[in-house]
Amino acid sequence: MERKAKKILLVFLIFCASIAYAQNYGFFGSLVSQEEQVADVSFLSCDDAQGRATGSIGNITSAIYIADRFRDLGLAPVNWSYTQSSRYNDTLIIRNVLGILPSSVNSEEYVIVSAHYDHLGNINGRIYNGADDNASGVAVMLSLAGAFKRMKDMGVPLGRNIIFVAFDGKELSMGGSRYFVDHLPVPRNKIVCDVNIDMIGTDLVPPGKNREYLIEVGEESLPERYRGTLFRICSSNPYGMQLDQSFYGSRDFRKLFYGMSDQISFSRAGIPAVVFSSAFHDHTYKITDKKEIINFPLMYKRTMVILQFVKMLCER
């Protein structure tokens, strides 16, 4: 009994600490659960998922998991389905997972929030778990979906529709996002922006002395009235986070980085698109990309910043 009591006390203390941590971020902190983020990353990057390579059982299981999360969060299917399938070649099917949160007013405009869920898979018996790449991005996207649904339920106006997309086939030349953009479920000229999230969970490659940082590329594609908002959010209390929009001060690497994830499919179609990341590191595309390298409190803080940014995009 004493052992059980200690366990209950420990769970209670963790719960209280989590509540106190969320309260540091006021209203927005009440909308996002760090425990859910840990659970999402843990499921998607566990050994049973086998690295989520497109077409694998682990990949299909992950797609079902994300679709169930969308459904449980209260998102509606897009065109009557939570999945959008396309043939990549004679043997592989790419499966995007989609959910929509309609605006609270009559709006024909859309914001896309995206993150790819596929990874490298099991290669020669070695599992590439892909905790940061990109279970972390999917976890943040799911947190944003839940946060906006909760805000809408609380009566906070949502001026634009939001489509949440988990892309498959990123590791196959962005096959999933290219198909999505070529077969958009909504008019192209009604999409305000794609907000893509790719590798958002580490503190391993800070662009300066502050290990609490966020990398964003593509803000210049947005209308002028949206520019500069990210810097103001990151530098304000309680964040105190360094925002790097230069990709370590290199114009060439910035351009290269922007072209290496799914936002490029939107950009090439003339749709404004930004990407949020914590950048490449020594574990990228290696079997060491496991849950242990994720800085969950920092990922949670980054979620708060991206949440406010997307909220701004959804205001008319």
Side-chain angles (χ1 to χ4, degrees), residues 35-308:
E35 287 72 25
E36 285 185 356
Q37 292 190 331
V38 173
D40 289 334
V41 171
S42 298
F43 182 91
L44 294 169
S45 64
C46 71
D47 284 349
D48 288 344
Q50 290 286 303
R52 310 185 306 278
T54 297
S56 69
I57 295 298
N59 175 278
I60 295 171
T61 301
S62 299
I64 294 171
Y65 175 85
I66 296 167
D68 286 344
R69 290 280 281 118
F70 279 168
R71 188 180 295 107
D72 292 344
L73 289 170
L75 301 189
V78 177
N79 291 339
W80 311 104
S81 177
Y82 287 101
T83 59
Q84 179 194 55
S85 300
S86 62
R87 184 174 294 280
Y88 179 73
N89 56 29
D90 290 340
T91 60
L92 287 180
I93 300 295
I94 288 175
R95 296 173 177 84
N96 296 329
V97 187
L98 301 78
I100 186 169
L101 183 61
S103 62
S104 50
V105 296
N106 186 20
S107 174
E108 297 180 350
E109 296 181 312
Y110 297 81
V111 173
I112 311 290
V113 178
S114 61
H116 78 90
Y117 71 93
D118 65 305
H119 194 52
L120 300 180
N122 185 327
I123 303 174
N124 298 324
R126 289 153 58 97
I127 299 174
Y128 291 75
N129 300 87
D132 191 35
D133 186 11
N134 188 34
S136 66
V138 174
V140 170
M141 180 196 65
L142 290 171
S143 290
L144 296 174
F148 277 101
K149 180 61 167 64
R150 292 176 189 117
M151 277 195 285
K152 185 181 176 186
D153 290 345
M154 293 166 64
V156 177
L158 182 64
R160 288 173 170 140
N161 309 282
I162 310 178
I163 298 178
F164 296 89
V165 189
F167 287 124
D168 192 8
K170 184 266 182 179
E171 305 301 346
L172 300 174
S173 303
M174 275 74 75
S177 58
R178 285 193 291 109
Y179 183 85
F180 179 83
V181 172
D182 287 343
H183 300 81
L184 287 171
V186 298
R188 186 184 309 259
N189 64 351
K190 298 298 183 180
I191 298 176
V192 175
C193 181
D194 168 55
V195 177
N196 191 45
I197 308 165
D198 197 350
M199 297 188 299
I200 197 74
T202 72
D203 61 354
L204 300 175
V205 281
K209 295 181 179 180
N210 189 353
R211 296 197 74 87
E212 296 200 339
Y213 65 93
L214 178 62
I215 291 171
E216 182 276 329
V217 179
E219 187 186 60
E220 69 279 0
S221 69
L222 294 170
E224 188 172 352
R225 67 189 178 103
Y226 296 126
R227 300 174 200 171
T229 302
L230 275 171
F231 177 79
R232 291 192 293 272
I233 297 171
C234 286
S235 59
S236 67
N237 288 326
Y239 303 106
M241 189 183 303
Q242 180 179 355
L243 176 67
D244 178 21
Q245 296 175 298
S246 70
F247 203 73
Y248 304 92
S250 171
R251 180 181 299 178
D252 291 339
F253 279 109
R254 182 181 186 274
K255 183 178 180 181
L256 180 65
F257 176 75
Y258 188 74
M260 293 180 68
S261 192
D262 293 296
Q263 69 282 340
I264 193 63
S265 298
F266 292 86
S267 179
R268 287 170 176 162
I271 299 170
V274 302
V275 57
F276 287 96
S277 182
S278 51
F280 308 111
H281 44 74
D282 288 342
H283 303 280
T284 303
Y285 287 157
K286 295 180 181 177
I287 60 172
T288 53
D289 185 359
K290 297 177 180 288
K291 183 179 71 172
E292 288 71 25
I293 71 170
I294 303 298
N295 183 332
F296 284 103
L298 180 54
M299 192 173 89
Y300 180 93
K301 181 183 281 194
R302 289 168 175 154
T303 306
M304 297 295 103
V305 172
I306 299 171
L307 172 59
Q308 292 184 64

